Amino acid sequence: MIARAYAVARVLVGRLARGADLLESLAQLARQHGVRMGWCSFFGAVQRARLAYYDQEARSYRAIELDRPLEIATGVGNVSLLDGDVFVHAHAVLSDAEGRCYAGHLDAGTVVFACEYALFELSGAEPLSRWPDADTGLKLWTGS
Ligand code: ZN
């Protein structure tokens, strides 16, 4: 288990640009504002989406391509470091015209239609860093 205590230093609130890549926009936002450790919440709509499901047996991601407009019913993510650079890990629940949901790990290739976000910058301890984890095959936070 890893547990570090942080305080919320700032909360950036705004809207992402239409047509932008959702995941990359969140990473750019963090980089532009110097956020190296943080938490984010977002919702709105996308023009198309690319989610992923991590196959625990195969230890690889399976792409979920959703080439249609969907609502972002909810999205959550965090900001930490990977190879010394800011890295955003996010998951989203997307809904269609009937309210049916698709959910998973948010991948590059998800295009914003409209998206409002809050990004909480955390301070008070060293940012967490991701490293390859032999048990899961994922890049997970390490340290104490
Ligand atoms: Zn994930």
Side-chain angles (χ1 to χ4, degrees), residues 7-20:
V8 175
R10 287 186 294 175
V11 185
L12 302 165
V13 176
R15 180 172 67 81
L16 301 179
R18 185 178 178 191

Side-chain angles (χ1 to χ4, degrees), residues 52 54 61 89-91 104-106 138:
Y54 189 69
Y61 283 99
H89 179 206
H91 286 200
H105 177 94
L106 182 67
L138 294 166

